[in-house]
Amino acid sequence: MDRLSLLLVIIGAINWGLVGLFQFDLIAFLFGGQGALVSRVLYTIVGAAGLWSISMLFTSHERREDAAAPRMDGAGA
């Protein structure tokens, strides 16, 4: 979930960079404008990913890796 959220946050950041530099909203361009349902859903998903990513600020990198690693002692299976 963390990687997916990070990917979506990166996509959102690139889109905002395009808006800031070139006044070009790629999401709106691809999906029929800012008010289109698909665009609004994508904006909402990217926003939710940003909120999820806040938790990564308060979790150590080592703890996330330990949680994702398979247990060799058979525990948790």
Side-chain angles (χ1 to χ4, degrees):
M1 189 68 172
D2 287 346
R3 287 185 189 262
L4 177 61
S5 292
L6 182 59
L7 176 65
L8 291 170
V9 169
I10 291 169
I11 290 169
I14 291 170
N15 192 56
W16 275 111
L18 290 171
V19 170
L21 291 172
F22 306 112
Q23 296 181 354
F24 178 72
D25 186 342
L26 182 62
I27 300 292
F29 176 77
L30 292 175
F31 298 104
Q34 288 182 341
L37 180 63
V38 175
S39 295
R40 292 177 52 214
V41 168
L42 288 173
Y43 293 138
T44 302
I45 291 171
V46 169
L51 291 174
W52 179 270
S53 296
I54 291 171
S55 69
M56 288 189 268
L57 290 173
F58 304 105
T59 306
S60 71
H61 183 66
E62 293 82 23
R63 228 168 70 197
R64 284 195 309 263
E65 286 181 352
D66 289 344
R71 305 239 351 220
M72 300 308 267
D73 61 1

